[in-house]
Amino acid sequence: MILTLDLTGEVPIYQQIRDQVVAAIATGTLVAGSPLPATRQLAADLGINFHTVNKAYDLLRQEGLLILNRRTGAVVHRDPGSGPPSAEFTEQWRLRLHTLLAEAVAQGLDGPAALAACATTLRDFGLAVPPVPSVLPVPPAPVAGTPVPELGDSV
């Protein structure tokens, strides 16, 4: 795994490290059981303070993606094949997704464009995603004079 950092960017360095490790797990570059470099070694390789790497690793540990052990160091704990996520993770993820989509809508991104971006990103992670229609299907309008079925009516 190769990390690329923007030392002058707005995103904190520890967050960049965390995000790139998560992406490597999502793409299968890192799988459960994969060791990561020691904090001091990675910090020396990147020319940054080891506390920065430690903060990134600790975030990944809190998220359940890494196990940190004095003897074995940092080891990937979960990957896409590790089974379904916890209910707590799913709820927190949905809240973050809600905020990201709200930002997109507030900036003028429409539904089809947001869905297409999501589908492209999921495909980047190797997931099978059905094609996203360029225009969302609209249910047909009822014909005038035809009763509209109510919830619970048999059609």
Side-chain angles (χ1 to χ4, degrees), residues 68-128:
L68 301 176
N69 184 312
R70 288 191 189 278
R71 197 174 324 156
T72 59
V75 177
V76 175
H77 179 62
R78 283 192 59 86
D79 64 21
S82 298
S86 69
E88 179 183 343
F89 166 82
T90 302
E91 178 61 26
Q92 290 299 314
W93 176 80
R94 284 187 176 153
L95 291 171
R96 291 192 325 267
L97 177 63
H98 184 270
T99 301
L100 285 173
L101 291 175
E103 290 171 2
V105 170
Q107 292 289 341
L109 194 65
D110 64 9
L115 284 173
C118 290
T120 298
T121 302
L122 289 171
R123 284 188 201 101
D124 289 346
F125 296 133
L127 296 177

Side-chain angles (χ1 to χ4, degrees), residues 48-68:
I48 60 175
N49 189 299
F50 86 93
H51 289 293
T52 304
V53 177
N54 196 41
K55 186 170 185 175
Y57 281 13
D58 192 51
L59 275 174
L60 291 160
R61 180 195 58 77
Q62 290 173 28
E63 295 167 355
L65 292 172
L66 289 187
I67 295 175
L68 301 176

